[in-house]
Amino acid sequence: MKAIIVGASSGIGYEVAKLLIAKGWIVGVAARRVDRLMDLKASYVEQIDVTMDDADQKLSNLIHKMGGIDLYFHVSGIGKQNRNLFPDIELNTVQTNALGFTRMVGEAYRHFAIQGKGHIACISSIAGTKGLGPAPSYSATKAFQNVYMQALEQQAQSRNLAISFTDIRPGFVDTDLLNGDFHYPLMLKPERVAKTIVHAIIHQRRIVVIDWKWRLITFFWSLLPNRLWRLLKL
């Protein structure tokens, strides 16, 4: 089996890459920072910044270099609390999590459409369940990712394409993304999250909320009407 992981230089992507390599997969890893990628001893390494216009072409080149792939795993993303709505934070988040996501996932989808089959797995977030006041662009772009994958799945079905999708929605994970002064509740360890993700990928699960506590929390979030949700102080 062959996989490309974009956003593999740290955290979840790094841990999933280690597990797939240990299972004998041929893995291509990519990220903006390539120094840590070298530690993985992956079969292929590429420097890709998803916010750059040539990122999709670089992905296409890597796919062809590997002779095709079975799995595209998209981990790349950013997110910050932004209660003061600083424009650079909002726009950078949209640039990476919406535009960059669409650029890369779209390229993988087009490749699999030509190839005739494939699997697209993406890290979105429980933050896409509802609009979160402390992180407006982050929760909005994660909801965008959820809906985009749903739309692609419907399109693949209508075109009779054997492309499967896995939308992975972790709670707060103890990675560089959440470094800072704010204390996040119910933090998850990336190693444990990675094991759950690999299991979900192998079994081609459609939507995976990690872990059971966050499944319960987001279930109740989804039930709250907007008139009550807007009153919550997060």
Side-chain angles (χ1 to χ4, degrees):
M1 299 289 281
K2 299 178 185 178
I4 286 177
I5 302 175
V6 173
S9 61
S10 64
I12 295 171
Y14 187 86
E15 295 299 329
V16 169
K18 283 201 304 186
L19 290 175
L20 291 183
I21 291 168
K23 287 180 177 292
W25 285 54
I26 296 171
V27 178
V29 291
R32 284 187 300 110
R33 302 173 299 164
V34 295
D35 49 340
R36 283 207 69 198
L37 295 178
M38 300 305 177
D39 298 338
L40 287 167
K41 297 182 171 58
S43 303
Y44 299 86
V45 176
E46 186 69 50
Q47 184 177 31
I48 297 178
D49 181 344
V50 303
T51 66
M52 301 301 289
D53 291 341
D54 65 349
D56 52 347
Q57 185 57 55
K58 285 189 172 183
L59 174 59
S60 178
N61 293 343
L62 180 57
I63 292 171
H64 286 95
K65 207 182 294 182
M66 294 177 64
I69 56 172
D70 303 288
L71 168 70
Y72 174 72
F73 183 35
H74 190 91
V75 189
S76 181
I78 60 172
K80 288 184 179 179
Q81 291 209 16
N82 192 18
R83 295 172 188 271
N84 294 314
L85 214 65
F86 294 120
D88 58 330
I89 293 176
E90 296 299 281
L91 295 174
N92 287 340
T93 303
V94 171
Q95 181 80 9
T96 301
N97 296 356
L99 184 57
F101 173 89
T102 305
R103 178 181 286 122
M104 304 304 285
V105 171
E107 184 60 34
Y109 180 89
R110 288 185 289 273
H111 168 74
F112 288 142
I114 295 170
Q115 182 173 277
K117 61 178 181 177
H119 186 180
I120 295 174
C122 304
I123 298 289
S124 61
S125 173
I126 53 102
T129 309
K130 289 276 192 179
L132 300 178
S137 60
Y138 182 71
S139 58
T141 54
K142 290 303 174 178
F144 171 87
Q145 293 176 358
N146 301 155
V147 174
Y148 195 78
M149 279 187 278
Q150 184 181 57
L152 290 186
E153 182 181 40
Q154 185 187 69
Q155 184 184 123
Q157 287 291 312
S158 68
R159 294 174 62 186
N160 295 315
L161 300 173
I163 304 174
S164 54
F165 297 84
T166 299
D167 182 352
I168 301 155
R169 305 176 184 181
F172 299 131
V173 184
D174 188 9
T175 64
D176 294 344
L177 186 66
L178 297 186
N179 280 347
D181 297 331
F182 185 81
H183 174 71
Y184 290 86
L186 304 175
M187 287 277 271
L188 305 168
K189 291 296 181 185
E191 297 84 359
R192 180 184 163 198
V193 170
K195 289 179 182 177
T196 303
I197 289 170
V198 170
H199 182 270
I201 286 172
I202 289 172
H203 291 87
Q204 296 196 348
R205 296 270 306 278
R206 175 60 186 89
I207 297 174
V208 184
V209 179
I210 307 172
D211 61 359
W212 71 268
K213 295 183 289 295
W214 286 108
R215 283 196 293 275
L216 191 61
I217 289 168
T218 53
F219 171 74
F220 285 111
W221 280 3
S222 65
L223 295 179
L224 279 176
N226 187 57
R227 67 180 182 276
L228 295 180
W229 179 258
R230 69 188 180 197
L231 298 176
L232 291 183
K233 297 186 183 300
L234 301 177

